[in-house]
Every structure is written in structure tokens, then in C-alpha cells.
């Protein structure tokens, strides 16, 4: 449905030029929900705006449906208003001089050929019903709350049943509780209309919860893409792992075990050995980092052959969980424990990690913190 | 205690500067007969002035329609030019935007008298440069074809002269508009033209209407061009009518009748001011709709680039380049025709050897600096009072200081004249009456320093009190240093307003208190064109560095490209 091929965009500014998007490629199938996930400033909005036609791409090509809309090397630049899209802006961009109804009716009123009065009325009320705002049709746009503005923005983007829906961090201007609620509504909405959606966010929870496909962006490039669960569990490199909130990076060295052919990681400081699958791509004696999430660490009260010894340095009570900082050899391991577990600062404990939840990267690819 | 005295003093001064002259004006409208000073023994209360003025058909046949046509016409021209320029500079990829922005400020700072005289040198029917050039090009004879001394001539010149001020206001309005509003229209399927008319203009409407009303108010009080271009064209508007009521060649000044005319226009001005205030509030309501994600994108002009540059070039040529050149040329040649012209410094030599010129230079700077100082000080103190105290009269103070924007300067000058004619303290005819008259413009300071004060959290001052500092110490060590930039801006602005001022010194002129703008007009009136042009050239040379100063310090935040 949407095909983006090696897209490039460079901004020319007064103090030099800035290469914001560097060869981004991806495809979204009909009805798919695709998310661009990445830290602020990585080029997500720019990519989205090139697809919308608000920004002219410098290289690559964009195809929406069957229509080639941008191909700068061949001089193709279809202006935004000719592309059949709906877009929700980060600031919602509700027009202050119109009431709710006129805001939503606008895409139909400017359409050529223009639908009849009754058709417009029906479609607008349908779109408003979709977002649960049909009772506010006559309200002035200056008298809407953030959540209401957002719903109106959705209704307006969907009213002419576009081929493609573009969403630029639509939840980031809402407070935490409303954001949660709107996330479910949005999912529901997109599922019901079946519109192909491109979603941009810096919030991994949003991305993982809603999408069929996620692409993690960094420095103007897509560094990893795929099924949300796969990206979450198997980050491709340390940068992605870091962005996805993996907090533990344990240094170690690959060692061949005497009794079998399998390899394992001997952790630095001789504090323990981890037997992990998938180590065959590493040569023995390679310096590596073992990467895992705080929630995948379990606490044992006695030593075993798969445990690492440590001492509790700090406990942060956070309500539903407590976060423990455990000193193991040179490194600090973060782990989550249930608040009912009675441990104290200074206690000696043993840590174990589920080997299937660990990822190993070569040491030189990870900047130590 | 000392603090209270200072604040009370500032409030009294503000009220005195603004309202006492107006009360005298109001009184004068009801005093007669005409051969007495309004408050001289022998005069009495009467309605004669009102009957004379408002039953006179001339008012309805010429003054009112002329003023209306003049204001409507020139505001329209100002708007078309200023909006196009502002839009090009703020929203398109027009080349040389920053330099163009600076150049547009030229007519804002050069006194309008100087421009007016320059334009008469350019477009006078006989010897005007433009006419000579057109006749030469097309081989036509006689005077013309352009005659600046007509109502259309007056309207066009005023329209051009008012453009920079409106341009600045419109740039600000355009800048506060969230560009996503237009982009949302584009992604909804509306073409750029449809977007412009259905979204851009309506969203900007309150932000455009407020400057429109202000421009109307300012055009109503214009005196320079109506005197220099309108009078020879026999186009009398309200300001010139007031002036000639008081300065008729063959009769005594008609204070009562002038005051009666002034009343009507004061009421109109205050109504416009109220409307302006309403529009500003509406504009603010629209602006608060913007959220995160601000990202101005500039429209690509493409093949419209050349026409856009031609438009800007034509404006700058007529508003800045040609006036400066014609003044320089005329000052060096004495205003003779091209063929007989020889370059010489004669005009400058005559000018600089005349002590009255030097006196005017000194007067101009003293009056501009003193009045800017007074208005800045008083304005800053009362805005502190309005924002930070619970003093009961603060709303009245707020209202009176805001009112000062709406008082036409002819009326201000006239009211001050009436006050000091009746008050024998010896300032009449000196430069000090000018200082007192100019100083009523405290609204400039109250606006700027209120904005600055709102940035200074009251807790900063409270922290100073907690640390043991008294009121004066807090003001001196905390508030003043933080407000310095705003106060300097306000002083510089008011200084330039005072430097350009022509109306008030014309109303209050005597042999002792000439300022440069008056001197230039008198020289031109006495047909000493070369010397007049020399004064104009010197003024322009003084103003040019100030334009860069202003651009750098006052409008620095507008350098957004
Ligand atoms: N109009 C512009 N001119 C110059 N640089 C820009 C412009 N817009 C964005 N950038 C730069 O491009 C980079 C990517 O921006 P953006 O796409 O908005 O990032 P994201 O949406 O991922 O936060 C940022 O470093 C930003 O500073
Ligand atoms: Mg963004």
C-alpha cells in the first residue's frame, strides 16, 4: 500500500545543511499499522512529512497505493493536497475560526467534485460518532479540551476515507491517564476503519502495543524493523537495546566448555558463567556484553551453578515493584523484585538470569556506562 | 515610605500629563466669546462654539468626507502593501529577507515631513524628477503628467508612509500563527489558494483587524502629509482644519471652535481604541490554540520570485531610495533643473553658519531625550504599581495610560497649549512645553515594561524582601537590572518618536523652540529648497545607523530566517 524506497531529506539552514533522513525504506501492506519508533530528533517527523508531501524529498521514491507521489530524481513531486491521505498533527491543528462540524466537514467541502450537502452531513456525523463527539458538533473549536481536540483531529483525518492515515505523536500532548485511554480508543478506531496507518512515536509502550510492524529509527536511518515482539526480545544491536529500555550490560568473555562443544560466557571478575544458546557466531575468547532486562533477573537465596553472587546496594520502592541495584563484581545489575520480598541494603544474594532472555553483543559495539 | 511617595508621585505625574490638558480642552469647547483666551477674565461658559462648528455645513461637506476618504484610502493602500510585504518576508523563501526587513524600517524612522518634502520634489507637476523623466521618455510637454497635489497623491503617499508600522504588526501576527493549521488544510485536500482564503486569512483575521484599526487611528491623526501635500491640493482634513483654526493668517486663533472640532475626533479615536482592545483580546484567544510541533515552513515562490522582488524593489525605491537621493541631490544643487545643476556645498554652508539651525539641533535632542526619559520612568513605575500592588486606583491608572495611544497628537499639542496659556508658569513658547507635551505617550512604556514585569516572577522580589532588603533596595538591585532591556527599548522607541515629531512642535512653535522637522518645513515654505533638502539629508544620515541599531537590539528576536 505504502512503499518508501531509500528516502533522503536534507534541510538547508542558515548555519549549514542537515541530513535528517538518510535512506529510509519500508513498506506497509493494505490495512497495516506500521510504527516509526525512535528518540526525538531522529527524523521520524521528517519522514512522515515527506510522505504527506509537506516536505519535498531529495532522493528516493514514495508510492501510495498505485500512485508514485514522490521521485525527485525524475522530477515527481505531487503536492500534499493531491495525495489521498489523512493526517493528525502533533498540535492537532484544529482551526479556531470554525466549529467542530465545519472542522470535520472541511476535507469534503474542498473536495472536487464536491459531495452534496446531505452526503457531507451524513459522513461528518458518522465520523463524529466514530470518535464519540456527535453531541459537540456545534461547539466552537476554541472551547475544546486537549482530548476533544484530538478526537476532532481524528474525525477530520478519517472523514474522506483516505488511503493512508498519518499520525505524528498524537498522544504526546495529553496527560498520562488520558494518553492510556486514547491509546485504546485509537487502536479500536483504526481496527474498525481498517485504514492503512503510519504512526510516529518516541514511546516504546505505544509502539509495541499498537503496531503490526515496528521500525526503530536512529540518526535518520531505520536500524531494525519487524514484529514488535521480535524487536523487543531480540534487539539487533546495543543502541536499539538501550532505546528499548534494557538496562543491564554485563561484560564477559566467550569460553568453550570442556565437557561439551557448546560455548558459554565467563563473566568478568570470575563471578559466574552463563550458558547461553546462539553463541556460535562468536569465536572463543571474544570480549562480549551480555544484555538483559531488569525484569528477567531472579533472586536466589543460595548459590547454584547458574548463579552470580552479589550484594544489594540500593532498594527503590516504586509501589507495585521495587528496583534493586545489586553490585556483582565490577558491574551494577538492576533487577525488579516484588515489594513483599524482605531484603535489605547490604544483604548478600544470588542472581540468576533466564538464558533465553539474554542477548549477546561484541564488547566493542557497546559504550560502557 | 519613600517607596509610597515615589509611586504616588508617578501616578500623579501620569494623570497630570494625560488628563489635565484634556480637561482644559473639554472646558475650552464651552468657553467664549472668541476674542478672549478661554480662561481669561471676561470669557464665559457658552454653547456657541458647538453651534458654530456643528451647524456649519462645511464640516459635513468637506472636513468629514475628506478625512474619511483620506483615512480609508490610505489605510487600504497601507494594508495591501504591508500585508504583501509581511507575508513575503515571513512565509516565503524570498531572497534577502533579512536585508529587506531592515530596509522597510526606513520610512518608520525618518520623520514624515522629510519624506513628504522629498516626495513633492519627486512628483511636483512641474519640476518633479518623476515628471521630468516621464516627459523626457515619452516626449510629452507641459506640467504633469503626475500631480502629487491631489487627494489621490495624498492618499498614496500616506499609504506608503504608514506601511512599515503596520508591516511590523502584521509580521508579528503571521509569526504567531501555527503553520500546522495550513498544513492540515493541505493534507485535507485543499489547494494552496483555497487554503489561503479559507484558513490563513480567517485565522489571521483578528490579528489583522487589530493593526487595521490602529492604522486607522494613526492615519486620522496624521498632520505632516495633509499639511505639505493636502493643503496645496485644497484638501482639508481634521488635523489641518484644527491647525488653521489656530494659525489663520488674518484672524485671531479660534480656540473654542478648534476645541469643539477636537471633541468629535477625540470621541472617534477613543471608540476606535476600544475596538482595537477588543480585537487584540480576540487575537490572543486564537493564538493560544497553538500547541507543540511548531515548524514554520516557507512557501517556495518558484516563478513568482521575480515579480515578488520587483514589488519589494518598487516599494523600497519609492519609500526610501528615491527620497534619499532626491534630498541629497537637491541639497547639493539647490533645487534647480537638471541642465543648470552644479554641485556645491552652499546649502550646507548657509545652514551650518546659521545659529538657529544649531539651536534646533540641540532642541530636537533635548526634547526627544527628556520626554523619552520622563515617559519611560513614569510608565515603568506605574506599570509596576498596576501589576504588583493592590492600590485601588490602579485600574483607572491603567485605563488612562492606555488612553494615551488614542489621543491624536494634534489634540495633545492643542490641549497642552490651552493648559499653559491659562497656567502662567512661563513654559509657553519654550522647549519645556514640548517636553511636557511629548511625554503623554506613556502607553509605549507601560506595554513594554508590563511584558517585562510579567517575566519577572513576583517571588524574585519577595525573596529580596525576605533577605532583608527594603522596597527601594529591591527595586534598585532586583527589578531595575532585570527590566533594563525593556526600559532601554522603550527609551529608544520614544526617543525616535520624539525625534520624528512634527505635529506637536508645529502647534506649539515659537521662535525659541524650533526643532529640526519644523526648521525643514519653514525653509521649504520660504522656498529655500536647497537648505531644506540639506536638513532632510542630515536627518537621513542620522537615522540610518539607528535603523541598524533597532534591527539588532529591538527586533533581534524577529530574525528567524
Ligand atoms: N525545518 C528544519 N530545518 C532544519 N532542520 C530541521 C528542520 N526540521 C527538523 N530539522 C532537524 O532534523 C532532525 C529531525 O527532525 P524531526 O524529523 O522533527 O525529528 P523527530 O520527529 O524524530 O523528533 C532534527 O535534528 C531537527 O533539528
Ligand atoms: Mg517529531
Amino acid at each position: 500500500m505504502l512503499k518508501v524506497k531509500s528516502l533522503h531529506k536534507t534541510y538547508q539552514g542558515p548555519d549549514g545543511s542537515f541530513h535528517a533522513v538518510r535512506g529510509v525504506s519500508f513498506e506497509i501492506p493494505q490495512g497495516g499499522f506500521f510504527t516509526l519508533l525512535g528518540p526525538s530528533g531522529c527524523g521520524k517527523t521528517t519522514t512522515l512529512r515527506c510522505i504527506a508531501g509537506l516536505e519535498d524529498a531529495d532522493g528516493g521514491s514514495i508510492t501510495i497505493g498505485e500512485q508514485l507521489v514522490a521521485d525527485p530524481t525524475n522530477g515527481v513531486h505531487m503536492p500534499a493536497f493531491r495525495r489521498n491521505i489523512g493526517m493528525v498533527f502533533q498540535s492537532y491543528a484544529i482551526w479556531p475560526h470554525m466549529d467542530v462540524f465545519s472542522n470535520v466537514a472541511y476535507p469534503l467541502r474542498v473536495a472536487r467534485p464536491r459531495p452534496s450537502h446531505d452526503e457531507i452531513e451524513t459522513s461528518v456525523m458518522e465520523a463524529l460518532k466514530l470518535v464519540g463527539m456527535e453531541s459537540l458538533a456545534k461547539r466552537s473549536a476554541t472551547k475544546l479540551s486537549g482530548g476533544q481536540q484530538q478526537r476532532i483531529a481524528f474525525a477530520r483525518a478519517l472523514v474522506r476515507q483516505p488511503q493512508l492515515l498519518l499520525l505524528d505523536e498524537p498522544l504526546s500532548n495529553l496527560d498520562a491517564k488520558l494518553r492510556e485511554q486514547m491509546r485504546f480508543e485509537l487502536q479500536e478506531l483504526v481496527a474498525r476503519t481498517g485504514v492503512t496507518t503510519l504512526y510516529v512515536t518516541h514511546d516504546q509502550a505505544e509502539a509495541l502495543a499498537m503496531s503490526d510492524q515496528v521500525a526503530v529509527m536512529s540518526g535518520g536511518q531505520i536500524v531494525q524493523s519487524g514484529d514488535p515482539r521480535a524487536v523487543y526480545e531480540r534487539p539487533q544491536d546495543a543502541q536499539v537495546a538501550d532505546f528499548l529500555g534494557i538496562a543491564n550490560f554485563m561484560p564477559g568473555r566467550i569460553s568453550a566448555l570442556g565437557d561439551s562443544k557448546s560455548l558459554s560466557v565467563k563473566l568478568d571478575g570470575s563471578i559466574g558463567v552463563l550458558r547461553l544458546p546462539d553463541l556460535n557466531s562468536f569465536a572463543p575468547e571474544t570480549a562480549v556484553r551480555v544484555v538483559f532486562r531488569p525484569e528477567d533477573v531472579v533472586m536466589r537465596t543460595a548459590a547454584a551453578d547458574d548463579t552470580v553472587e552479589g550484594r544489594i546496594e540500593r532498594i527503590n520502592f516504586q509501589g507495585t515493584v521495587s528496583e534493586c541495584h545489586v553490585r556483582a563484581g565490577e558491574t551494577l545489575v538492576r533487577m525488579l523484585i516484588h515489594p513483599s520480598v524482605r531484603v535489605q541494603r547490604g544483604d548478600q544474594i544470588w542472581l540468576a538470569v533466564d538464558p533465553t532472555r539474554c542477548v549477546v553483543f561484541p564488547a566493542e559495539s557497546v559504550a560502557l556506562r | 515610605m519613600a517607596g509610597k511617595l515615589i509611586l504616588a508621585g508617578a501616578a500623579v505625574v501620569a494623570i497630570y500629563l494625560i488628563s489635565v490638558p484634556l480637561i482644559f480642552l473639554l472646558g475650552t469647547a464651552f468657553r467664549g466669546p472668541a476674542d478672549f483666551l478661554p480662561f481669561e477674565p471676561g470669557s464665559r461658559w457658552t454653547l456657541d462654539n458647538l453651534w458654530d462648528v456643528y451647524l456649519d455645513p462645511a464640516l459635513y461637506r468637506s472636513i468629514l468626507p475628506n478625512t474619511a476618504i483620506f483615512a480609508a484610502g490610505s489605510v487600504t493602500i497601507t494594508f495591501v502593501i504591508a500585508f504583501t510585504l509581511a507575508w513575503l518576508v515571513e512565509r516565503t523563501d524570498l531572497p534577502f529577507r533579512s536585508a529587506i526587513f531592515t530596509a522597510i524600517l526606513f520610512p518608520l524612522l525618518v520623520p514624515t515631513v522629510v519624506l513628504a518634502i522629498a516626495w513633492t520634489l519627486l512628483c511636483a507637476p512641474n519640476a518633479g524628477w518623476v515628471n521630468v523623466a516621464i516627459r523626457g521618455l515619452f516626449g510629452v510637454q507641459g506640467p504633469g503628467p503626475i500631480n502629487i497635489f491631489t487627494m489621490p497623491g495624498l492618499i498614496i503617499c500616506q499609504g506608503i508612509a504608514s506601511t512599515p508600522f503596520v508591516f511590523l504588526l502584521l509580521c508579528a501576527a503571521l509569526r504567531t500563527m501555527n503553520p500546522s493549521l495550513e498544513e492540515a488544510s493541505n493534507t485535507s485536500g485543499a489547494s494552496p489558494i483555497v487554503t489561503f482564503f479559507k484558513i490563513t486569512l480567517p485565522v489571521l483575521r483578528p490579528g489583522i483587524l487589530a493593526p487595521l484599526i490602529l492604522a486607522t487611528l494613526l492615519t486620522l491623526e496624521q498632520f505632516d502629509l495633509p499639511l505639505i501635500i493636502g493643503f496645496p491640493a485644497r484638501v482639508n482634513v481634521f488635523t489641518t482644519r484644527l491647525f488653521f483654526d489656530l494659525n489663520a493668517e488674518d484672524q485671531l486663533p479660534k480656540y473654542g471652535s478648534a476645541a469643539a472640532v477636537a471633541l468629535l475626533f477625540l470621541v472617534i479615536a477613543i471608540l476606535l481604541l476600544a475596538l482595537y482592545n477588543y480585537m487584540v483580546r480576540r487575537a490572543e484567544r486564537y493564538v493560544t490554540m497553538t500547541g507543540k510541533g511548531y515548524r514554520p515552513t516557507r512557501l517556495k515562490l518558484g516563478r513568482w520570485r521575480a515579480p515578488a522582488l520587483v514589488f519589494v524593489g518598487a516599494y523600497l525605491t519609492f519609500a526610501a531610495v528615491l527620497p534619499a537621493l532626491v534630498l541629497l541631490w537637491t541639497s547639493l544643487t539647490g533645487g534647480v533643473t537638471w541642465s543648470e545643476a552644479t554641485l556645491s556645498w552652499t546649502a550646507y554652508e548657509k545652514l551650518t553658519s546659521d545659529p538657529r539651525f544649531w539651536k534646533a539641533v540641540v532642541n530636537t535632542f533635548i526634547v526627544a531625550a527628556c520626554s523619552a526619559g520622563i515617559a519611560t520612568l513614569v510608565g515603568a513605575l506605574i506599570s509596576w504599581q498596576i501589576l504588583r500592588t493592590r492600590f485601588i486606583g490602579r485600574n483607572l491608572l491603567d485605563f488612562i495610560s492606555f488612553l494615551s495611544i488614542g489621543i491624536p497628537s494634534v489634540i495633545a499639542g492643542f490641549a497642552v497649549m490651552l493648559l499653559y496659556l491659562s497656567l502662567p508658569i512661563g513654559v509657553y513658547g519654550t522647549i519645556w512645553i514640548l517636553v511636557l507635551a511629548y511625554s503623554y505617550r506613556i502607553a509605549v512604556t507601560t506595554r513594554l515594561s508590563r511584558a517585562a514585569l510579567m517575566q519577572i516572577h513576583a517571588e524574585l522580589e519577595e525573596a529580596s524582601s525576605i533577605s532583608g532588603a527594603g522596597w527601594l533596595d529591591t527595586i534598585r538591585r532586583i527589578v531595575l537590572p532585570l527590566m533594563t532591556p525593556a526600559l532601554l527599548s522603550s527609551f529608544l522607541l520614544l526617543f525616535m518618536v520624539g525625534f520624528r515629531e512634527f505635529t506637536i512642535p508645529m502647534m506649539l512653535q515659537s521662535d525659541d523652540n524650533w526643532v529640526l522637522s519644523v526648521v525643514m518645513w519653514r525653509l521649504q515654505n520660504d522656498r529655500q529648497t536647497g537648505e531644506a533638502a540639506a536638513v532632510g539629508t542630515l536627518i537621513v544620515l542620522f537615522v540610518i545607523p539607528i535603523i541598524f541599531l533597532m534591527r539588532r537590539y529591538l527586533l533581534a528576536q524577529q530574525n528567524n530566517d
Side-chain angles (χ1 to χ4, degrees):
Chain A
M1 197 359 258
L2 174 70
K3 275 200 209 85
V4 178
K5 262 198 225 133
S6 56
L7 183 73
H8 281 270
K9 172 69 192 175
T10 303
Y11 287 113
Q12 310 294 345
D15 29 54
S17 59
F18 183 79
H19 199 167
V21 175
R22 308 166 175 228
V24 163
S25 305
F26 60 91
E27 281 188 30
I28 314 181
Q30 181 67 43
F33 192 118
F34 188 95
T35 299
L36 287 176
L37 172 66
S40 143
C42 71
K44 308 177 299 284
T45 299
T46 308
T47 308
L48 195 79
R49 289 169 59 85
C50 287
I51 295 169
L54 297 171
E55 216 78 64
D56 288 340
D58 300 320
S61 70
I62 302 169
T63 312
I64 300 177
E66 297 302 306
Q67 177 81 49
L68 181 67
V69 295
D71 186 2
T73 38
N74 296 313
V76 179
H77 284 292
M78 183 188 268
F81 71 96
R82 296 238 165 78
R83 304 186 184 186
N84 186 7
I85 51 176
M87 180 161 173
V88 175
F89 290 80
Q90 208 170 355
S91 64
Y92 311 137
I94 301 299
W95 299 304
H97 62 295
M98 300 179 179
D99 63 11
V100 166
F101 185 92
S102 312
N103 259 284
V104 178
Y106 185 87
L108 301 174
R109 288 184 175 155
V110 298
R112 295 286 170 272
R114 183 180 164 150
S116 77
H117 192 79
D118 290 344
E119 280 168 333
I120 292 182
E121 173 92 27
T122 321
S123 310
V124 171
M125 288 321 285
E126 228 166 72
L128 283 174
K129 198 177 282 167
L130 202 61
V131 295
M133 296 279 291
E134 64 272 39
S135 59
L136 295 185
K138 288 288 156 242
R139 180 165 298 189
S140 151
T142 49
K143 298 198 177 70
L144 295 175
S145 69
Q148 289 170 331
Q149 288 187 40
Q150 204 214 28
R151 279 172 223 207
I152 302 305
F154 271 110
R156 184 177 67 189
L158 290 171
V159 73
R160 61 169 173 157
Q161 299 178 328
Q163 279 182 288
L164 177 65
L165 179 63
L166 303 174
L167 307 173
D168 188 359
E169 311 223 10
L171 304 181
S172 68
N173 276 347
L174 303 176
D175 53 55
K177 209 163 164 197
L178 191 57
R179 193 178 321 164
E180 193 92 335
Q181 180 196 341
M182 288 305 293
R183 196 171 86 197
F184 291 119
E185 280 189 26
L186 199 157
Q187 248 173 310
E188 178 82 351
L189 201 71
V190 171
R192 231 184 308 163
T193 53
V195 62
T196 310
T197 306
L198 174 58
Y199 189 89
V200 155
T201 183
H202 67 266
D203 182 321
Q204 53 154 329
E206 281 172 24
L208 298 171
M210 297 199 283
S211 350
D212 308 333
Q213 292 272 302
V214 193
V216 181
M217 277 189 80
S218 167
Q221 284 170 322
I222 291 183
V223 285
Q224 183 174 7
S225 64
D227 174 65
R229 185 170 273 269
V231 172
Y232 185 74
E233 289 179 351
R234 297 269 129 212
Q236 178 175 306
D237 61 25
Q239 215 180 352
V240 178
D242 193 17
F243 180 69
L244 291 177
I246 303 183
N248 292 313
F249 290 75
M250 297 272 283
R253 199 165 282 279
I254 302 284
S255 60
L257 281 187
D259 54 342
S260 78
K261 278 191 177 152
S262 71
L263 300 175
S264 67
V265 178
K266 186 161 175 276
L267 296 174
D268 280 5
S270 303
I271 50 174
V273 172
L274 286 172
R275 290 187 189 80
L276 302 175
D278 302 334
L279 290 177
N280 296 326
S281 57
F282 293 99
E285 291 307 305
T286 320
V288 294
R289 299 275 181 273
V290 183
V291 172
F292 50 91
R293 291 173 193 276
E295 60 267 35
D296 292 328
V297 186
V298 282
M299 188 184 290
R300 300 270 170 79
T301 45
D305 63 349
D306 63 344
T307 57
V308 170
E309 190 188 323
R311 193 172 288 281
I312 297 181
E313 278 203 348
R314 190 189 297 173
I315 304 175
N316 294 331
F317 175 60
Q318 294 174 346
T320 53
V321 291
S322 290
E323 189 194 32
C324 275
H325 291 193
V326 179
R327 175 70 61 187
E330 295 286 286
T331 38
L332 197 64
V333 178
R334 288 160 199 256
M335 65 179 295
L336 299 180
I337 58 174
H338 196 269
S340 65
V341 178
R342 294 286 161 204
V343 284
Q344 282 179 358
R345 220 180 121 188
D347 283 359
Q348 186 176 40
I349 53 156
W350 287 267
L351 304 172
V353 190
D354 178 353
T356 60
R357 313 285 295 176
C358 293
V359 191
V360 179
F361 298 124
E364 64 273 14
S365 72
V366 184
L368 258 197
R369 291 158 305 172
Chain B
M1 192 56 220
K4 290 229 171 79
L5 274 180
I6 292 178
L7 287 180
V12 170
V13 171
I15 292 175
Y16 172 78
L17 285 174
I18 297 170
S19 48
V20 172
L22 287 185
I23 292 170
F24 267 76
L25 177 79
L26 199 67
T28 304
F30 300 94
R31 297 292 286 185
D35 40 359
F36 284 91
L37 284 175
F39 295 97
E40 211 177 12
S43 66
R44 55 188 161 72
W45 295 101
T46 169
L47 288 176
D48 289 352
N49 300 318
L50 293 188
W51 298 144
D52 284 353
V53 167
Y54 293 102
L55 293 182
D56 177 8
L59 182 72
Y60 307 98
R61 264 206 318 263
S62 80
I63 303 294
L64 279 181
N66 274 345
T67 309
I69 293 170
F70 165 64
S74 53
V75 168
T76 308
I77 289 180
T78 298
F79 245 75
V80 172
I81 302 177
F83 188 83
T84 314
L85 290 174
W87 188 75
L88 286 172
V89 167
E90 287 295 326
R91 302 304 299 274
T92 71
D93 65 343
L94 183 79
F96 321 117
R97 293 190 290 274
S98 188
I100 288 171
F101 189 106
T102 311
I104 290 173
L105 298 179
F106 183 85
L108 184 67
L109 294 185
V110 174
T112 314
V113 221
V114 176
L115 288 175
I117 290 176
W119 283 326
T120 60
L121 293 172
L122 286 172
C123 296
N126 289 314
W129 273 20
V130 175
N131 281 319
V132 172
I134 293 177
R135 290 199 296 262
L137 273 178
F138 297 101
V140 274
Q141 295 295 316
I146 295 173
N147 184 1
I148 193 175
F149 299 110
T150 55
M151 179 62 114
L154 174 63
I155 285 176
I156 292 172
C157 290
Q158 185 62 56
I160 290 174
S162 309
T163 293
F165 180 71
V166 176
F167 165 81
L168 282 181
L169 296 176
L170 290 178
C171 281
L174 280 169
R175 218 173 296 123
T176 52
M177 179 177 172
N178 178 356
S180 301
L181 295 176
E182 290 164 302
E183 292 174 353
S185 168
N186 278 322
T187 58
S188 298
S191 67
I193 304 272
V194 172
T195 300
F196 184 80
F197 285 104
K198 289 197 142 185
I199 304 293
T200 314
L201 279 186
V203 170
L204 284 175
R205 195 169 51 213
I208 289 178
L209 285 180
L212 182 77
I213 293 161
L214 202 54
T216 311
L217 191 63
L218 292 182
T219 309
L220 269 186
E221 69 161 336
Q222 285 305 317
F223 171 67
D224 320 31
L225 285 158
L227 178 70
I228 291 163
I229 295 176
F231 179 64
R234 300 186 186 289
V235 174
N236 245 328
V237 297
F238 128 79
T239 49
T240 41
R241 153 79 193 258
L242 205 79
F243 181 76
F244 288 116
D245 262 355
L246 300 173
N247 295 283
E249 308 246 308
D250 46 358
Q251 47 187 324
L252 285 171
K254 296 191 281 186
Y255 297 110
S257 121
V261 176
L263 279 190
L264 172 65
F265 285 91
L266 200 56
V267 170
I268 295 177
I270 287 171
L271 288 180
L272 283 172
L273 198 62
L275 195 61
Y276 168 71
N277 205 18
Y278 170 77
M279 284 301 165
V280 167
R281 299 229 162 126
R282 279 200 47 171
E284 280 163 3
R285 213 176 69 209
Y286 272 27
V287 167
T288 52
M289 290 284 297
T290 65
K292 266 198 249 167
Y294 183 82
R295 178 200 296 261
T297 32
R298 292 182 178 274
L299 189 85
K300 300 209 168 42
L301 283 172
R303 61 202 160 89
W304 290 97
R305 204 177 159 106
L309 278 177
V310 167
F311 177 81
V312 175
Y315 172 76
L316 289 180
T317 306
F318 199 70
V321 179
L322 279 182
L325 286 181
V326 80
L327 285 174
L328 182 65
W329 174 261
T330 309
S331 71
L332 293 174
T333 59
V336 293
T337 51
W338 281 90
S339 43
E340 323 164 9
T342 49
L343 297 183
S344 80
W345 294 105
T346 325
Y348 291 93
E349 278 156 11
K350 267 169 80 180
L351 200 62
T352 49
S353 60
D354 186 343
R356 282 179 307 175
F357 167 73
W358 291 110
K359 190 164 177 197
V361 172
V362 173
N363 286 349
T364 306
F365 283 92
I366 290 182
V367 174
C370 289
S371 62
I374 293 178
T376 302
L377 184 69
V378 172
L381 283 169
I382 68 171
S383 43
W384 190 87
Q385 206 163 354
I386 291 166
L387 278 184
R388 292 284 205 262
T389 68
R390 289 193 178 42
F391 163 62
I392 321 149
R394 65 186 196 281
N395 288 331
L396 177 73
L397 215 52
D398 197 13
F399 174 75
I400 288 182
S401 72
F402 179 63
L403 203 62
S404 68
I405 308 176
I407 304 174
S409 40
V410 224
I411 293 184
F414 178 39
V416 165
M417 170 199 291
L418 291 171
L419 171 61
Y420 296 104
L421 271 176
S422 316
L423 210 66
I425 55 170
V427 297
Y428 197 83
T430 68
I431 57 171
W432 306 112
I433 195 174
L434 298 184
V435 173
L436 288 168
Y438 287 17
S439 302
Y440 81 99
R441 290 199 178 94
I442 50 180
V444 175
T445 318
T446 46
R447 294 244 136 169
L448 286 171
S449 45
R450 278 176 79 154
L453 267 174
M454 292 208 212
Q455 305 285 319
I456 305 175
H457 203 286
E459 283 179 3
L460 294 179
E461 293 171 39
E462 286 158 10
S464 163
S465 312
I466 304 271
S467 313
W471 183 83
L472 265 182
D473 270 325
T474 302
I475 293 289
R476 197 162 56 85
R477 291 173 186 271
I478 308 292
V479 180
L480 269 186
L482 289 171
M483 280 181 66
T484 306
L487 295 183
L488 278 180
S489 306
S490 142
F491 180 85
L492 183 56
L493 272 180
L494 285 166
F495 181 86
M496 284 319 293
V497 170
F499 177 80
R500 298 176 81 238
E501 187 62 63
F502 176 65
T503 317
I504 293 177
M506 278 295 281
M507 300 290 293
L508 297 174
Q509 66 175 300
S510 74
D511 289 344
D512 273 336
N513 67 3
W514 285 357
V515 293
L516 281 177
S517 53
V518 173
V519 166
M520 180 170 176
W521 180 78
R522 295 197 74 98
L523 287 168
Q524 173 74 3
N525 228 22
D526 296 346
R527 310 235 165 268
Q528 290 173 280
T529 315
E531 282 89 328
V535 176
T537 310
L538 293 175
I539 291 179
V540 169
L541 288 179
F542 171 72
V543 163
I544 286 175
I546 298 209
I547 296 179
F548 287 97
L549 258 180
M550 253 185 93
R551 174 78 168 113
R552 197 166 158 77
Y553 294 105
L554 284 189
L555 304 166
Q557 76 278 18
Q558 313 200 329
N559 200 347
N560 60 350
D561 32 21

